[in-house]
């Protein structure tokens, strides 16, 4: 079984479409972890018959709590604005069955026709393949055993996905599935393609320079 863990906060506009693609699959357990939504997110999820658990706000805290109640042998962490490809469960199992693989993620496709988006996609996918450094919006997946061995997501307000992958790379290889997930372009549409990209790169640089994740999170907000 694969447990798909979805941290949410005010995702009423997106969550239904994401869940529809996961329902009625006997191989999949769906766990939605709410961080205190003030819209109808929880109501929508419960109406669809999907398990909801409540957690302290914070993506790392929410995902770790979801993992703690998951029944699956494999954990897949899915952002609420990201759509998994059809047959993703077979791709996940195939990827994790390869020698020396400890975790994996998907290539990225962004649902937008904005100028520059295709270049961003290419940059993300080259980085992922070349350096084995996928981010959270690429649907990171890992066996329950490896997740426990590495201690789960570090309790950081930002960059928790990056830090998890860095720790995992010390233990083995990260598989990148060529079939992409499709993620929303809402961040790029809100601030613009190049401004969003610049902010993302500044955050990564600040993290490498040793600036605390707490300060980085405040800047990001």
């Amino acid at each position: 079984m694969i447990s798909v863990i979805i941290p949410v906060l005010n995702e009423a506009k997106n969550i239904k479409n994401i869940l529809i693609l996961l329902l009625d699959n006997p191989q999949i357990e769906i766990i939605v972890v709410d961080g205190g939504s003030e819209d109808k997110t929880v109501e929508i999820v419960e109406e669809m018959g999907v398990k909801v658990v409540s957690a302290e706000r914070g993506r790392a805290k929410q995902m770790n709590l979801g993992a703690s109640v998951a029944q699956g042998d494999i954990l897949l962490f899915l952002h609420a604005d990201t759509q998994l490809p059809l047959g993703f469960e077979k791709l996940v199992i195939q990827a994790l069955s390869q020698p020396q693989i400890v975790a994996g993620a998907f290539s990225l496709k962004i649902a937008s026709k904005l100028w520059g988006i295709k270049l961003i996609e290419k940059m993300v996918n080259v980085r992922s393949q070349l350096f084995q450094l996928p981010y959270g919006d690429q649907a990171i997946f890992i066996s329950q055993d490896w997740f426990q061995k590495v201690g789960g997501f570090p309790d950081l307000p930002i960059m928790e996905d990056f830090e998890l992958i860095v720790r995992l790379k010390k233990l083995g290889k990260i598989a990148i599935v060529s079939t992409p997930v499709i993620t929303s372009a809402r961040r790029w549409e809100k601030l613009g393609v190049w401004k969003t990209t610049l902010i993302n790169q500044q955050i990564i640089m600040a993290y490498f320079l040793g600036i605390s994740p707490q300060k980085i999170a405040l800047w990001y907000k």
Side-chain angles (χ1 to χ4, degrees):
M1 181 186 290
I2 299 174
S3 294
V4 178
I5 299 165
I6 311 174
V8 296
L9 181 65
N10 299 324
E11 292 287 357
K13 292 182 179 179
N14 298 302
I15 194 64
K16 185 173 183 178
N17 290 334
I18 298 301
L19 292 179
I20 285 173
L21 298 174
L22 299 173
L23 293 172
D24 301 322
N25 187 328
Q27 281 186 278
I28 305 302
E29 176 190 36
I30 309 171
I31 303 172
V32 173
V33 190
D34 182 63
S37 295
E38 298 174 349
D39 61 5
K40 293 186 176 182
T41 299
V42 173
E43 181 181 334
I44 291 169
V45 174
E46 290 179 338
E47 286 176 353
M48 297 180 74
V50 173
K51 182 176 184 178
V52 182
V53 294
S54 297
E56 184 180 345
R57 181 176 300 185
R59 187 171 279 162
K61 289 182 173 66
Q62 290 172 241
M63 292 189 292
N64 284 336
L65 180 61
S68 72
V69 300
Q71 300 297 310
D73 306 302
I74 298 170
L75 307 174
L76 187 152
F77 299 94
L78 181 67
H79 287 189
D81 61 351
T82 299
Q83 177 182 322
L84 290 166
L86 292 175
F88 75 91
E89 64 276 13
K90 295 178 182 178
L91 298 173
V92 167
I93 293 169
Q94 182 180 13
L96 292 180
S97 67
Q98 298 176 51
Q100 299 183 318
I101 295 296
V102 296
F106 292 83
S107 298
L108 184 71
K109 183 177 178 61
I110 303 169
S112 176
K113 295 182 179 180
L114 285 174
W115 185 86
I117 283 292
K118 292 300 179 185
L119 178 58
I120 299 301
E121 288 178 354
K122 186 171 183 179
M123 291 169 59
V124 168
N125 291 324
V126 167
R127 180 205 69 218
S128 300
Q129 291 284 354
L130 191 60
F131 300 107
Q132 298 181 50
L133 277 175
Y135 293 168
D137 54 5
Q138 292 173 251
I140 295 169
F141 52 85
I142 181 174
S143 72
Q144 180 78 260
D145 288 343
W146 276 114
F147 188 75
Q148 298 303 324
K149 286 176 183 177
V150 82
F153 284 96
D155 189 9
L156 301 175
I158 198 168
M159 300 292 286
E160 76 289 333
D161 50 355
F162 181 87
E163 182 62 30
L164 175 71
I165 292 297
V166 169
R167 293 180 184 182
L168 286 167
K169 284 180 63 179
K170 296 176 181 178
L171 303 174
K173 295 181 179 180
I174 311 299
I176 305 299
V177 178
S178 59
T179 305
V181 293
I182 302 175
T183 195
S184 166
R186 59 185 178 180
R187 288 181 298 154
W188 289 274
E189 291 172 347
K190 183 178 181 180
L191 296 176
V193 173
W194 301 115
K195 185 174 182 180
T196 301
T197 302
L198 179 61
I199 290 171
N200 290 341
Q201 295 308 309
Q202 288 175 331
I203 288 170
I204 295 168
M205 187 178 297
Y207 189 75
F208 273 121
L209 290 174
I211 298 172
S212 76
Q214 288 73 23
K215 284 187 178 180
I216 297 172
L218 286 174
W219 295 346
Y220 187 70
K221 291 179 180 178

